[in-house]
Amino acid sequence: MSLLTFIFTLLFYAATATIVAGLAFKIRLYAITPTPLRIPTTPAPTSLSGVIARLFFEVTLFNSLFKANKWIWLFGWLFHAALLFVLLRHLRYFTDPVWGWVDTIQPYGKYGAFIMVFGLGGLWARRFLVDRIRFISSPSDHLMLALLVGIGLTGIGVKFVTGTDIVAVKAFFLGLIYFDWQPMPSDWLLSFHLVLVALLMIIFPFSKLLHAPGLFFSPTLNQIDNPREKRHTSSKSASSDNRG
Amino acid sequence: MIDFETPVLKEYPIIPLIQPGAMAHSKPYVAKQDLQEKIGFPGELIDDWQEVAIKKMGELVSKSRALMVFLDTCVKCGACTDKCHYFLGTADPYNMPVARQDLFRDVYRRYFTFAGKHFPKLVGAKDLDKDMLDLWYSYFHQCSQCRRCSVYCPFGIDTAEISMAAREILNTIGVGQKYCNEIIGKAQTIGNNLGLPEPALADTLEGLEEDIEEETGVKVRLPLDEKNADILLVTPSADFFAEPHVDGLIGYAKVFHAAGLSWTLSSHASEASNFGLFIGSYDNMQKISMRIRDAALELGVKRIVFGECGHAWRVAYNFLNTLAGPFDFLDQNYPIPQNISEVTYDLIQRNALTLDKSANDDKVLTFHDSCNVARGSRMGDVAGGQFIIPREIIKATCNHFYDMADDTIKEATFCCGGGGGLLTDDLVELRVKGALPRMEALKQVVDNHGVTHMVAICAICKSQFSKVMPYYGFEMDQVISLHQLVGNAIVLNRSE
Ligand code: HEM
Ligand code: SF4
Ligand code: SF4
């Protein structure tokens, strides 16, 4: 096993372990932390199905963001939609045989990276151009965008400029999954792309990327508006039943 | 008091360029020792404040999923930055909701997260030092906890929750706000925010009964502590004497009278308002809420109805059941608790009131959705009922009604500028500037439709508007109670 293969094998195990364990830890913590009071925000649905619909549209369409700011919505939504597309397309490196629908999106998917970088560029530009957003940006906000742009650009490079041995890459990743380690093709641009991806996976559970699982736990969005019909008890209040 | 300039009303709202430090001088008076100790907080800044504050922060976050998730999830997208009336009115960047949260979040990161402990500069984590403490005191008292930002945040991040937590931490280390804490003390010992004792209250109500009889020739009662009445009315104590609140109270009394409902006020729970909310104190909020439960049991009533008050309705609607329930001793056929507007609306629906709209023909009306009703609670049995019901009541009681611009009403309503425990003279500059977006929207309907009066359903809104409207060239009596309209329009049966 070459040094390169050794390093990348370790790196991806470490990155996968970090993101999985980190997210599991965080999600569990969110789930067990009490919600002392009912605080849904308007427009609050009055039923569970309403809440599910609300979360669905928040996740897929960024509903609230659309109400708030059309530019952020446009760039943000394009970026996320493209990211999702690109991620799905990448499934073909981890599945054998490749699932049919992954094959179907394949021809369009490869342009996703351009849209992703475009969206990120718009968001990044706002951090410089809009004084309000400049004020709230810290170095990590810029670096996060740099990282994602970096992943996008190196991805585009590998795909459209230098080209790479896809069969070998796929063998490497399938090898990781089945603990049957295969050599990592030595290609500096690809290596760079993969290092950035591993870095993203590692910082995921320690950063604002927690917004992805966080959204589902946000009490203002996921609570049902029925406090008069159903007495809400949790933690503190559960123990202080006022009967008697 | 520092001089300040009242903002100019523009034709179209404009998002200001940020002016760092523009409101750094704005600080409410600090509560004195006796006020603090009365409600269970240290009298002055304690010696090991930093340590205690951080410990409290950890405890609060571990007990509130909302705080925990909100602190983690903000992506600094900036969608909320132009949504706060205090930012729009002052241009101070710390009045942008996310920047306000960051005063809290940066400290949280520093002491509780891996990135903040090890790479503070990178993620903007900051120590809780004296400067930060000053920023906290200043800017967490420039948030009226109106939740407008939460509606626009893609993750529902509610800055109100964070400023409540910050205020609780401040109180825990002995730095309380005079206005709020004084009121909480009074509400807990005397039963209302004004410190109005039972005999004075009885006197006031008697005086009002005489006024009504003089004006209408009908004997409308305002009963106090009447055992076995059906309804306990809990209303903000401002309703007992402040203008225009008192006309609202007269309106409720006329509604009960006309519908033949038996009701009473309580001297033990002579306050709907619950300032425990504003300082984020579950315990204080619960103590005040328990007085209502106790009064309901003591008087043997079947229903609890709340008068016109925004934050009181939020606590009542969303929290009362949790804080002071279960209310299995009340009549389950009615919502518990109920808002006076729900009661009136029901009666109108059932044609149980005779209303003469022309009694309000001297007015052209618009309606101010109170933030805590619009975004902190609901009325009626459908989502959005809190927007429908007051408007239907207005339409049933007058002939001329125009809504303000869409992005300033209903869920997008702007706070009056005096909510969240900021309705005090030491914050007048903030209150005037914070009212700017509402005043601009009002000016539009005044110019376009000849609106003469703005209807409100919250005691704080009413007091705030009477105070700040003159700064913008309006009259203080251009804000009126919803139930003043009802009171004017209702036709009472003289033969009774
Ligand atoms: C449930 C899935 C997700 C949802 C609903 C979601 C939603 C959002 C929303 C509404 C925003 C604010 C608007 C914007 O700036 O784009 C945002 C920002 C962001 N999201 Fe996501 N996201 C999700 C997953 C992810 C993932 C998996 C990543 C990266 C791997 C990611 C990276 C980012 C970044 C970097 C920003 C900040 C952009 C900036 O700096 O302006 N998101 N997300
Ligand atoms: S809208 Fe929400 S996520 Fe965006 S900056 Fe404001 S608080 Fe943060
Ligand atoms: S809750 Fe209201 S006052 Fe507080 S930051 Fe949000 S918009 Fe501003």
Side-chain angles (χ1 to χ4, degrees):
Chain A
M1 187 182 283
S2 73
L3 183 64
L4 187 74
T5 303
F6 181 70
I7 290 174
F8 273 87
T9 303
L10 275 189
L11 181 63
F12 271 90
Y13 280 134
T16 308
T18 310
I19 190 172
V20 171
L23 282 182
F25 174 80
K26 272 292 182 181
I27 288 172
R28 183 177 163 274
L29 198 58
Y30 292 158
I32 61 171
T33 302
T35 52
L37 295 167
R38 278 292 168 99
I39 58 165
T41 206
T42 310
T46 54
S47 64
L48 180 64
S49 53
V51 164
I52 291 170
R54 175 186 212 174
L55 287 176
F56 177 78
F57 289 118
E58 285 297 343
V59 171
T60 53
L61 297 179
F62 297 3
N63 230 2
S64 300
L65 184 60
F66 185 77
K67 282 190 284 193
N69 189 309
K70 302 289 184 282
W71 284 113
I72 305 178
W73 180 85
L74 178 74
F75 294 131
W77 192 84
L78 280 179
F79 151 57
H80 283 85
L83 175 71
L84 178 67
F85 220 60
V86 170
L87 280 176
L88 292 177
R89 205 187 66 94
H90 276 68
L91 280 177
R92 71 191 181 118
Y93 301 125
F94 308 100
T95 51
D96 192 38
V98 175
W99 304 328
W101 59 269
V102 177
D103 260 342
T104 318
I105 64 171
Q106 171 61 20
Y108 318 100
K110 58 186 181 194
Y111 300 105
F114 292 99
I115 296 173
M116 187 176 124
V117 172
F118 170 78
L120 287 165
L123 291 171
W124 206 352
R126 290 182 61 80
R127 292 208 183 277
F128 291 102
L129 300 178
V130 181
D131 66 338
R132 283 171 284 128
I133 303 186
R134 195 161 58 224
F135 184 88
I136 58 167
S137 301
S138 52
S140 55
D141 300 313
H142 289 283
L143 285 176
M144 187 67 75
L145 289 168
L147 180 62
L148 284 159
V149 169
I151 292 174
L153 289 181
T154 50
I156 291 170
V158 171
K159 180 93 216 154
F160 295 98
V161 186
T162 61
T164 195
D165 184 352
I166 292 180
V167 178
V169 176
K170 179 163 182 170
F172 173 75
F173 278 104
L174 286 175
L176 289 182
I177 293 171
Y178 298 108
F179 299 100
D180 168 23
W181 302 301
Q182 302 298 319
M184 160 85 188
S186 69
D187 170 341
W188 67 269
L189 193 59
L190 175 72
S191 302
F192 195 40
H193 182 66
L194 292 180
V195 166
L196 294 180
V197 171
L199 195 62
L200 182 75
M201 291 165 73
I202 290 167
I203 61 174
F204 204 104
F206 303 100
S207 67
K208 67 177 186 180
L209 295 179
L210 284 171
H211 68 281
L215 190 151
F216 299 92
F217 290 93
S218 178
T220 45
L221 298 180
N222 75 11
Q223 288 183 342
I224 302 170
D225 179 14
N226 63 353
R228 292 193 287 191
E229 291 78 23
K230 194 168 174 304
R231 181 165 183 245
H232 174 84
T233 51
S234 160
S235 71
K236 219 167 170 169
S237 47
S239 59
S240 67
D241 197 316
N242 296 307
R243 226 185 292 245
Chain B
M1 180 119 306
I2 351 111
D3 279 332
F4 64 91
E5 264 176 55
T6 305
V8 194
L9 294 181
K10 300 171 290 314
E11 201 150 325
Y12 297 100
I14 293 168
I15 304 167
L17 290 175
I18 60 171
Q19 289 171 30
M23 287 299 278
H25 58 275
S26 176
K27 287 185 171 62
Y29 295 144
V30 177
K32 295 249 166 58
Q33 190 159 3
D34 53 323
L35 292 182
Q36 283 289 100
E37 285 169 359
K38 198 165 163 188
I39 59 170
F41 297 122
E44 56 185 13
L45 186 64
I46 54 177
D47 290 336
D48 52 348
W49 62 271
Q50 203 186 15
E51 215 172 295
V52 173
I54 290 157
K55 194 164 149 252
K56 184 75 186 176
M57 180 183 264
E59 184 191 313
L60 289 178
V61 173
S62 72
K63 283 191 187 150
S64 161
R65 185 188 299 166
L67 271 185
M68 184 182 285
V69 170
F70 295 165
L71 289 171
D72 275 355
T73 49
C74 173
V75 294
K76 314 294 168 84
C77 68
C80 60
T81 53
D82 58 348
K83 300 296 179 271
C84 178
H85 52 290
Y86 290 122
F87 173 71
L88 295 173
T90 68
D92 189 312
Y94 283 129
N95 279 332
M96 302 187 296
V98 46
R100 195 189 312 285
Q101 295 160 26
D102 276 352
L103 292 173
F104 194 98
R105 186 179 287 115
D106 291 348
V107 173
Y108 173 75
R109 288 227 165 124
R110 184 74 184 97
Y111 299 96
F112 295 97
T113 67
F114 177 83
K117 280 183 200 162
H118 301 284
F119 315 100
K121 288 251 161 56
L122 183 73
V123 294
K126 303 216 176 73
D127 287 324
L128 180 58
D129 53 16
K130 193 73 184 50
D131 288 346
M132 184 54 96
L133 192 66
D134 286 345
L135 285 174
W136 273 38
Y137 192 74
S138 185
Y139 291 100
F140 286 120
H141 291 108
Q142 299 190 39
C143 170
S144 58
Q145 307 173 342
C146 75
R147 317 185 87 207
R148 189 167 194 265
C149 44
S150 77
V151 168
Y152 294 99
C153 172
F155 312 104
I157 296 177
D158 180 5
T159 317
E161 289 295 313
I162 291 174
S163 60
M164 287 170 194
R167 290 187 197 176
E168 183 163 25
I169 293 171
L170 287 170
N171 268 314
T172 309
I173 58 173
V175 193
Q177 182 214 12
K178 175 169 178 269
Y179 172 69
C180 279
N181 292 3
E182 189 166 25
I183 280 180
I184 293 170
K186 280 186 203 155
Q188 286 179 3
T189 49
I190 304 168
N192 58 61
N193 294 358
L194 300 170
L196 204 64
E198 194 267 340
L201 183 56
D203 246 22
T204 310
L205 296 176
E206 219 168 282
L208 289 176
E209 288 179 348
E210 284 163 18
D211 291 349
I212 301 175
E213 187 167 6
E214 213 165 279
E215 200 197 305
T216 63
V218 180
K219 219 173 153 37
V220 173
R221 297 197 54 227
L222 284 118
L224 180 65
D225 293 330
E226 213 155 86
K227 286 220 165 183
N228 300 320
D230 285 343
I231 294 173
L232 167 63
L233 177 77
V234 188
T235 205
S237 55
D239 281 3
F240 298 130
F241 81 105
E243 282 291 345
H245 312 58
V246 69
D247 301 307
L249 176 62
I250 293 172
Y252 321 149
K254 287 183 181 171
V255 169
F256 288 136
H257 177 93
L261 294 167
S262 113
W263 69 290
T264 184
L265 289 153
S266 151
S267 59
H268 181 70
S270 46
E271 180 62 72
S273 172
N274 193 329
F275 275 39
L277 173 74
F278 299 151
I279 62 165
S281 168
Y282 192 102
D283 294 334
N284 279 298
M285 195 155 60
Q286 188 164 42
K287 263 187 212 150
I288 298 172
S289 297
M290 284 305 284
R291 293 184 76 98
I292 296 169
R293 180 191 174 89
D294 294 343
L297 280 168
E298 168 69 27
L299 295 169
V301 296
K302 301 196 183 85
R303 300 162 62 182
I304 300 178
V305 172
F306 274 74
E308 294 179 6
C309 185
H311 83 282
W313 182 238
R314 179 173 189 203
V315 176
Y317 174 85
N318 262 312
F319 307 158
L320 197 67
N321 204 357
T322 301
L323 293 170
F327 287 97
D328 40 12
F329 58 91
L330 295 176
D331 184 343
Q332 305 295 317
N333 292 316
Y334 296 93
I336 305 166
Q338 229 178 344
N339 191 287
I340 185 71
S341 292
E342 294 179 309
V343 175
T344 302
Y345 178 67
D346 270 357
L347 294 170
I348 294 175
Q349 295 287 89
R350 291 195 276 116
N351 281 322
L353 300 177
T354 315
L355 296 166
D356 171 17
K357 293 187 189 191
S358 68
N360 288 310
D361 270 352
D362 54 336
K363 303 181 192 66
V364 182
L365 295 138
T366 193
F367 178 65
H368 167 76
D369 290 278
S370 299
C371 49
N372 271 302
V373 176
R375 290 183 292 256
S377 51
R378 180 162 58 94
M379 287 181 195
D381 44 21
V382 294
Q386 72 270 40
F387 308 131
I388 302 166
I389 289 177
R391 284 178 173 77
E392 288 303 314
I393 296 177
I394 295 175
K395 288 179 194 156
T397 53
C398 78
N399 285 310
H400 313 290
F401 169 72
Y402 299 94
D403 253 323
M404 287 179 275
D406 282 345
D407 53 353
T408 71
I409 57 170
K410 301 185 179 171
E411 69 174 31
T413 190
F414 279 107
C415 167
C416 61
L422 308 179
L423 190 76
T424 165
D425 281 346
D426 35 323
L427 292 174
V428 158
E429 177 183 2
L430 178 76
R431 288 168 52 191
V432 169
K433 291 182 172 173
L436 176 75
R438 173 50 75 227
M439 292 296 106
E440 275 176 353
L442 175 61
K443 178 136 196 322
Q444 258 186 20
V445 285
V446 168
D447 291 348
N448 297 344
H449 300 291
V451 164
T452 60
H453 291 81
M454 180 163 66
V455 178
I457 43 169
C458 166
I460 291 180
C461 296
K462 294 172 201 169
S463 301
Q464 157 76 354
F465 285 132
S466 334
K467 172 96 183 179
V468 303
M469 280 169 76
Y471 284 83
Y472 289 97
F474 300 105
E475 302 296 324
M476 65 180 290
D477 59 7
Q478 284 187 273
V479 57
I480 60 173
S481 299
L482 175 61
H483 275 78
Q484 177 177 345
L485 284 185
V486 180
N488 289 347
I490 213 163
V491 181
L492 298 175
N493 195 342
R494 279 167 172 276
S495 62
E496 270 180 72

